[in-house]
Amino acid sequence: MNKNVIKTSQLLKQIAFVATRNFSSNVFSTKYGGKHRVLLVPGDGIGPEMMFHVKEALKAVRAPVEFEEINLNSKTASDSLIDQTVLAVKRNGVCIKGNIETDHNNPSSQSVNVALRQRLDLYANVVRCKTLPNVKTRYQDLDILIIRENTEGEYSNLEHESVCGVVESLKIITKQRSRRIAEFAFEKAQKDGRKKVTAVHKANIMKLGDGLFLSSCREIAERYPDIEFESMIVDNTCMQLVSKPQQFDVMVMPNLYGNIVANVCAGLIGGAGIVAGSNYGNNVALFEAGTRNSGRGVAGQNSANPCGMLFAAGNMLKYLGLHEHSFVLRNAVVNTIGERNIKTVDIGGTATTSEFMKHVLDEIHHHTPEIGFGAIKQ
């Protein structure tokens, strides 16, 4: 064979394995041989089970995704493995993970979840709480977007015991990060066609810290005159959420409030099992369950609700530009609940996890072409 032909063939094979960036969407993702490379971290509790079902669903929808897997959890966690995970996320650009438990009874135990968010600067956590058909809840037609600053506040890991029996825990609020999350919230609202942004705070008491966050949100709001802006104290926010949640559209807030409000909103639409969470930084994204609960109590019982993690996988596919795959996966979950009336115990049904997944996969197969949705657009 001609040497030039051999060299050309070798070059084409090398090109097929080069990491590329999708400049049109500002999303960094690694592709090998035409497939997106994604880091998968099973985590603790029901995490490994849920990741198995995510793989099943992505295979069924013929998504051009392959996984690099790192077994990081509460038992295997070490500085070197966390370093390896951070490097892998940066290399691939995208990660999907289960929750990693933290031993709150051990003062020296640091949260691996927080460490990953901070080291990767995943500054924006987004949780969408939208009611699903055929899931009985107190309120219907809710669609609330909670946007949480993810890297500072009470999660700064700055605590010390000044004298015996007296602990100081520092809450860090910076103007730069407050403006960054506010801008993210307004950009998201504008892009999604939403009408209002509510900044949640406690500036009546923490006048400097939360006051800085609130003033930063107000400054950014002035640049978006077409979007209504309001502010609300966090305790009143919780009361309003359980009494009149329809008033909320997009909500933006510091770290701890975001954790609390997202869990309240998850309860309003059916619980932790049906909510997905997305975390965004510059050129990296991490997808997970919305309430960051490991589900240890139901691990191995074939009873956990896989909806939240499947929705997280759907969000990941959309982020990668695989819109058809994302649409089919999301609709398969919704149709399983709404049209087939197949529900796990936590949302009023009797189905096991595997029974629920059987119907989801059947829905996917029904709406996925045998040849897939075409090659990844370069």
Side-chain angles (χ1 to χ4, degrees), residues 56-73:
E56 277 189 314
L58 265 59
K59 181 179 179 181
V61 82
R62 299 179 183 273
V65 171
E66 64 179 16
F67 293 107
E68 172 186 359
E69 188 166 336
I70 294 181
N71 189 31
L72 175 63
N73 56 50

Side-chain angles (χ1 to χ4, degrees), residues 3 96 134 144 187 194 221 246 249 273 290 306 323 344 359 378:
K3 290 183 179 180
I96 186 167
N134 200 29
I144 304 172
E187 282 289 319
R194 292 181 177 257
Q246 298 89 347
D249 191 0
H323 298 284
T344 49
H359 286 270
Q378 299 296 329

Side-chain angles (χ1 to χ4, degrees), residues 79 82-83 86 90 114-122:
D79 290 343
I82 294 173
D83 289 343
V86 169
K90 290 180 178 179
V114 172
L116 291 176
R117 296 197 292 267
Q118 291 179 341
R119 291 186 57 180
L120 292 165
D121 195 25
L122 293 165

